[in-house]
Amino acid sequence: MERSHPKSALKPKDQVKDKYSKVTPKPAAKENTKPQEFKLHTGQRAVKRAMFNYSLATKFYLLEIQKKQVEKVQKMIEDEEIRCLRKEMVPKAQLMPFFDRPFFPQRSNRPLTIPREPSFRTVNSKCWSCISENDLYYFHHAHAWNPIK
C-alpha cells in the first residue's frame, strides 16, 4: 500500500495560482554579454612623456655643446693673453746712465703748503653759516635754530 505524501501532491510554486496573484512567465535566458573594449590614456601619456623627455635631452645637449664652445673660446683668449704677457715679460737690460751728464736736483717752483689745525667739530653740511664763535647750532628739520648743549 502506497501512501501518498501530502507535500508531493502539491503543485510547484511556479504553477500555483491564488485568487489574487497572476501567473508570470519566466523571462528568457540572457545571452552571454561581451565586455566593450575601452582605451586607456596611459599610451597617449607615455608618448607625450617620451616626446617631452626627448625635447629636454636635446635642450640639455645643446646647452652642453654651447658651454663647451664658450669654454673653448675663453681658453683660446686666455692662451693668447698669456702668450702676449710672456712676450712682454722678456727680461731686457736697463740702459746705462749717462755719467758725463750727472743729475743735479733743483729746487721746486711750487709754493709751500700752509699747515692748518684740524677741525674736530661736527658741522651740518647744509648750513655753514650756523657756526658762531661761542656756540654750535644745527639746522633742525622744522627750520628751528637749537643750540647743541
Side-chain angles (χ1 to χ4, degrees), residues 9-65:
L10 292 176
K11 297 180 181 177
K13 277 188 175 181
D14 291 339
Q15 297 173 0
V16 174
K17 269 189 173 178
D18 287 336
K19 297 188 223 180
Y20 305 108
S21 67
K22 295 182 181 178
V23 176
T24 56
K26 283 189 173 181
K30 292 184 180 179
E31 295 181 19
N32 289 338
T33 57
K34 294 181 182 176
Q36 293 180 347
E37 298 209 9
F38 53 92
K39 191 173 185 181
L40 297 176
H41 292 286
T42 54
Q44 293 174 356
R45 289 186 66 226
V47 169
K48 285 182 181 179
R49 184 64 187 192
M51 290 171 52
F52 176 72
N53 288 343
Y54 178 75
S55 65
L56 276 182
T58 55
K59 181 178 178 181
F60 285 131
Y61 178 72
L62 293 175
L63 284 175
E64 187 177 329
I65 288 175

Side-chain angles (χ1 to χ4, degrees):
M1 312 224 179
E2 291 183 4
R3 285 192 194 182
S4 65
H5 206 288
K7 285 185 180 179
S8 62
L10 292 176
K11 297 180 181 177
K13 277 188 175 181
D14 291 339
Q15 297 173 0
V16 174
K17 269 189 173 178
D18 287 336
K19 297 188 223 180
Y20 305 108
S21 67
K22 295 182 181 178
V23 176
T24 56
K26 283 189 173 181
K30 292 184 180 179
E31 295 181 19
N32 289 338
T33 57
K34 294 181 182 176
Q36 293 180 347
E37 298 209 9
F38 53 92
K39 191 173 185 181
L40 297 176
H41 292 286
T42 54
Q44 293 174 356
R45 289 186 66 226
V47 169
K48 285 182 181 179
R49 184 64 187 192
M51 290 171 52
F52 176 72
N53 288 343
Y54 178 75
S55 65
L56 276 182
T58 55
K59 181 178 178 181
F60 285 131
Y61 178 72
L62 293 175
L63 284 175
E64 187 177 329
I65 288 175
Q66 187 177 6
K67 281 183 184 179
K68 285 182 181 179
Q69 287 177 347
V70 168
E71 288 175 2
K72 190 175 181 181
V73 169
Q74 284 180 347
K75 187 172 181 178
M76 288 173 56
I77 291 171
E78 288 174 1
D79 289 345
E80 186 67 30
E81 288 176 356
I82 289 172
R83 194 176 309 120
C84 290
L85 286 174
R86 285 185 178 157
K87 280 184 184 178
E88 291 175 2
M89 291 182 67
V90 172
K92 296 179 181 177
Q94 289 186 353
L95 296 173
M96 285 291 291
F98 296 109
F99 290 109
D100 57 339
R101 292 180 279 158
F103 175 72
F104 294 110
Q106 293 181 352
R107 190 172 183 95
S108 174
N109 296 333
R110 289 176 129 189
L112 293 174
T113 57
I114 301 169
R116 284 189 287 160
E117 272 193 44
S119 175
F120 294 112
R121 291 189 251 169
T122 56
V123 179
N124 189 356
S125 62
K126 292 182 182 177
C127 184
W128 286 95
S129 63
C130 297
I131 304 171
S132 67
E133 294 179 16
N134 299 333
D135 296 316
L136 181 67
Y137 291 87
Y138 68 97
F139 194 67
H140 202 29
H141 291 289
H143 300 288
W145 296 90
N146 296 327
I148 297 176
K149 295 178 184 178

